[in-house]
Amino acid sequence: MLLGSALCLPGCSLLPFGADKDPALEGAAAPPAFSVQVQAPDDVRETLERHLELQRFRNLPDLQASELQRLLGAADANARELLGTMGYFAPTITIELIETPDDQTAPRSVRIGVQPGPQTRIVNANIAFADGKPEGGGKADKKEDEESQASARQQQLVRSDWSLPPGEPFTQSAWDTAKTGGLRQLQAHRHPAARIADSRAEIDADKHEARLDVTYDPGPAYRFGPLRVVGGQRYDPDGARRLAHLPTGAVYDEAQMLDAQLRLAGSGYYDAVFLTLDTEGSDPQAAPVVAQVQEASLQKLVFGPGFSTDGGARLSLEHIHNRMPGLGWRAVTKLALERESQLASTEWTDLPDENGWRWFAGGQALREARDGYRVNSGRLRSGSSKNTRNIDRNYFLQYDYANSQGTDAPPPRSALSLNYGWTGRYFDNPTAPTRGHGVALELGLGSTLQPPHDPFVRTLLRWQSLIPAGRVQDSAGRGRDARLALRTEAGAMLARESAQIPAPQLFLTGGDTSVRGYGYHSIGARSGNGQLYGGRYMAVGSVEWQRPIVYGGTMTDWESALFIDAGAVADRAGDLRPRVGLGAGLRWRSPVGPLQVDLAYGAKTRKLRLHLRLGYNF
């Protein structure tokens, strides 16, 4: 009881009857003691109105005239200090106190007139670097000479990218940004321990000139050493090293370390990963990289409902085993139920070897509705893959089987093929890109398994490019690029006309990610009675204009889009007849990736269709 009473006593002072009234809070409800009016050009008025210290005292109760006079005396110096941060060092400032007894909003008014004068501009910017070479010593060897030349090129790049060259107006924020930008360039590559050794801005208020001097101390050049895993117990640290695929011995590069961090985080073995370079060691040429990890559970069961405009409502159940008994591979087994399709699949992957290649095996069984019939298909594949920063490669052996049910359904078919895939992604952001391009190629050589065992060649080419198309700015000067999104896809199945190709190897298109305005896989070849089936040739193209939305003078996370899509599928290249869809949409830059909402009109069907999509992949 005594302990409980002691713990409760401090809380009593928070009760209304146990606290003294705060005069400042009382004054907040009372009329202002005075009002403040700033008469100045628009480019400085908003800053003064927002940051003048005088504004803080407007609501003080019973403010005496003598105290207000003291505040007015300090307001001049405060205004000059604020103007100095914007590059105005010789302003003319007048401050008047006017009694306004008839004004119901405030009994007094403080009027501040500002003529900022000419803005100070940069006349010289000197960017220097401290000499990081040790004193004395003999003649540098070839490796040291190459390091010195590489550092000199990097330093020259910092100078050429300097954001406050002569002629630019001087502001404190721009000066801070320029210094920090140069430092980040050094720290991001080769010199993670770089610092600002000295900086000075000399202002000549009479001539309205600024001379800038900054000296960077790059520190030693660093190279990646071995990866050290901290916090791992369940999974082999050597496996983490191979998953990260960090280039030991290479020059330190922040982007490469972040890529390694993403590979570890996306592997499924870890719930959280954070990589840092140990710069406290004695040898910068082999600095250890510390991976602090939080391991994922050995097994995980994930249940999820969902919805898509392509497949409607969806239920999925996924089981993950990060270390299969006996084999030691990672297995992901999934069951997905949608309105028009049901899927059961499993995929097994090994840890990568020293060169980054990893074995995989998988299979799936799919049942999906087509136009008047159902296709029951199965697929088995096994091969090897390698994923790097920009390029994914894989080769595998694949078996396909399809058995259709319904009126005029094709007979059972199967095929065996050897396949190779190559994908290059060169976007500025892997999850929400705004510029860059990607290209992917799939090539398969195979044979049908029904007599007479017809050979075939299957190829698919995809390409996408995001091109900046002007900049959109808000009233505060913040801006983002508008862009053109260009996309094309072409596929061909080369075989004898009589070859019995399984349905999964043929082409269909239409839906959220291909031709909007049409249903999922609703564009294909047609039989004599109008029945839809997969075709041997496919061509898809899209042009989309995306523009950031400014609302109320402020840049938002939303974008508008106008687009036109076209796609065609046929059994002969000469029979390709495009289906066109056009429309408009919205994009939201959500924390988990872009949310895409589109309303499209299918010119062939003459119907409007809503398309929803979350996330980005190529």
Side-chain angles (χ1 to χ4, degrees):
M1 291 177 63
L2 289 173
L3 178 61
S5 300
L7 293 174
C8 292
L9 283 175
C12 296
S13 63
L14 301 177
L15 299 176
F17 55 78
D20 295 332
K21 294 182 178 180
D22 188 342
L25 293 177
E26 282 189 343
F34 60 90
S35 63
V36 178
Q37 299 178 14
V38 179
Q39 299 174 345
D42 292 340
D43 58 342
V44 300
R45 177 174 49 79
E46 183 179 352
T47 300
L48 293 174
E49 288 179 340
R50 181 179 302 177
H51 298 291
L52 273 173
E53 291 286 337
L54 193 63
Q55 299 279 20
R56 298 173 50 201
F57 302 96
R58 287 186 306 158
N59 295 322
L60 284 180
D62 302 326
L63 185 66
Q64 301 297 321
S66 59
E67 182 64 19
L68 180 56
Q69 289 294 336
R70 188 190 68 79
L71 293 174
L72 295 181
D76 182 88
N78 181 219
R80 292 181 185 275
E81 182 181 357
L82 291 172
L83 290 167
T85 64
M86 294 181 282
Y88 299 100
F89 293 96
T92 301
I93 301 175
T94 59
I95 300 179
E96 298 179 274
L97 177 61
I98 301 173
E99 298 291 337
T100 56
D102 296 331
D103 192 340
Q104 296 181 356
T105 58
R108 285 165 287 190
S109 176
V110 177
R111 295 180 184 175
I112 303 176
V114 177
Q115 296 179 1
Q119 190 174 25
T120 298
R121 293 188 174 271
I122 312 299
V123 295
N124 183 53
N126 179 41
I127 299 97
F129 298 87
D131 188 0
K133 298 179 181 178
E135 295 183 3
K139 184 178 179 181
D141 59 21
K142 182 178 180 181
K143 182 177 180 181
E144 290 177 347
D145 187 55
E146 290 176 352
E147 288 281 1
S148 178
Q149 293 179 11
S151 293
R153 290 193 295 269
Q154 186 176 2
Q155 293 172 11
Q156 184 57 41
L157 187 62
V158 172
R159 290 189 178 99
S160 61
D161 290 345
W162 181 255
S163 60
L164 265 185
E168 290 293 314
F170 173 86
T171 67
Q172 185 62 44
S173 61
W175 170 225
D176 292 339
T177 300
K179 290 188 293 183
T180 304
L183 181 63
R184 286 292 302 133
Q185 275 189 278
L186 291 171
Q187 292 176 338
H189 183 73
R190 197 180 301 275
H191 300 288
R195 64 184 183 89
I196 298 177
D198 185 41
S199 66
R200 183 173 64 257
E202 295 182 354
I203 307 299
D204 189 331
D206 294 331
K207 296 182 179 180
H208 313 293
E209 296 177 348
R211 290 176 171 80
L212 308 180
D213 285 277
V214 60
T215 300
Y216 295 104
D217 181 5
Y222 279 80
R223 290 181 178 271
F224 288 123
L227 182 73
R228 187 169 69 241
V229 179
V230 177
Q233 296 178 349
R234 185 178 293 115
Y235 307 118
D236 184 5
D238 188 60
R241 179 181 60 80
R242 285 181 280 152
L243 283 167
H245 201 59
L246 199 65
T248 302
V251 173
Y252 169 81
D253 186 84
E254 184 181 62
Q256 285 188 334
M257 193 167 70
L258 290 176
D259 287 340
Q261 179 174 299
L262 289 175
R263 283 192 289 271
L264 282 172
S267 68
Y269 291 94
Y270 305 99
D271 290 333
V273 180
F274 183 65
L275 264 60
T276 56
L277 186 74
D278 184 3
T279 58
E280 302 298 327
S282 58
D283 186 9
Q285 293 300 298
V289 178
V290 181
Q292 296 179 333
V293 301
Q294 179 182 339
E295 293 184 326
S297 301
L298 186 63
Q299 296 189 64
K300 185 185 297 184
L301 190 64
V302 181
F303 172 77
F307 176 83
S308 71
T309 48
D310 278 343
R314 178 179 67 252
L315 291 176
S316 65
L317 182 65
E318 184 176 84
H319 176 260
I320 300 172
H321 199 305
N322 278 327
R323 194 171 57 207
M324 296 172 60
L327 194 59
W329 290 17
R330 184 172 189 264
V332 179
T333 303
K334 185 176 182 179
L335 178 65
L337 305 176
E338 291 188 354
R339 180 183 59 201
E340 301 294 340
S341 66
Q342 298 82 44
L343 170 71
S345 66
T346 184
E347 184 169 358
W348 304 351
T349 54
D350 189 13
L351 287 170
D353 61 17
E354 295 294 338
N355 296 319
W357 288 93
R358 61 195 304 173
W359 291 102
F360 68 89
Q364 72 171 37
L366 175 64
R367 178 180 175 89
E368 58 181 340
R370 294 283 176 86
D371 190 12
Y373 64 98
R374 287 187 172 274
V375 177
N376 302 317
S377 62
R379 170 173 290 176
L380 297 173
R381 64 168 55 172
S382 181
S384 185
S385 65
K386 181 178 181 179
N387 302 331
T388 60
R389 182 178 181 182
N390 298 115
I391 298 175
D392 296 345
R393 286 167 287 181
N394 60 76
Y395 59 87
F396 54 91
L397 186 66
Q398 179 171 296
Y399 167 77
D400 287 287
Y401 172 81
N403 182 18
S404 302
Q405 296 176 334
T407 306
D408 296 329
R413 297 174 178 178
S414 59
L416 189 67
S417 60
L418 182 64
N419 299 268
Y420 175 78
W422 186 96
T423 301
R425 302 179 182 89
Y426 306 93
F427 299 104
D428 61 342
N429 187 303
T431 58
T434 59
R435 65 177 63 202
H437 66 278
V439 61
L441 173 66
E442 297 177 15
L443 179 63
L445 305 175
S447 172
T448 62
L449 298 183
Q450 289 80 23
H453 305 293
D454 292 308
F456 63 82
V457 177
R458 185 183 189 274
T459 182
L460 178 65
L461 178 66
R462 295 183 295 120
W463 172 81
Q464 183 173 18
S465 182
L466 300 174
I467 304 171
R471 191 160 183 83
V472 179
Q473 289 187 331
D474 62 10
S475 57
R478 295 183 296 267
R480 290 208 313 268
D481 287 336
R483 71 195 70 88
L484 283 176
L486 308 178
R487 172 172 51 88
T488 188
E489 187 174 6
M493 169 63 73
L494 305 178
R496 287 199 315 171
E497 186 175 352
S498 60
Q500 302 296 305
I501 307 296
Q505 290 278 17
L506 299 174
F507 298 103
L508 291 168
T509 191
D512 300 344
T513 60
S514 54
V515 184
R516 288 160 289 187
Y518 299 84
Y520 178 65
H521 281 182
S522 64
I523 300 176
R526 295 281 177 176
S527 62
N529 59 4
Q531 193 174 51
L532 176 74
Y533 63 93
R536 297 192 178 192
Y537 294 89
M538 178 187 68
V540 175
S542 174
V543 178
E544 179 172 301
W545 181 49
Q546 303 167 357
R547 188 178 189 277
I549 295 176
V550 176
Y551 180 76
T554 303
M555 182 68 65
T556 69
D557 290 329
W558 291 85
E559 296 182 345
S560 61
L562 297 173
F563 60 85
I564 179 169
D565 300 339
V569 176
D571 271 337
R572 296 181 178 85
D575 293 338
L576 291 171
R577 300 292 182 268
R579 302 290 189 266
V580 178
L582 64 161
L586 292 173
R587 309 285 181 268
W588 177 46
R589 296 159 60 94
S590 77
V592 294
L595 173 65
Q596 175 177 309
V597 182
D598 293 320
L599 185 63
Y601 175 76
K604 180 68 174 180
T605 60
R606 299 183 179 181
K607 293 181 180 179
L608 286 172
R609 191 177 184 90
L610 180 66
H611 296 271
L612 300 174
R613 182 186 178 194
L614 178 62
Y616 174 85
N617 58 64
F618 176 81

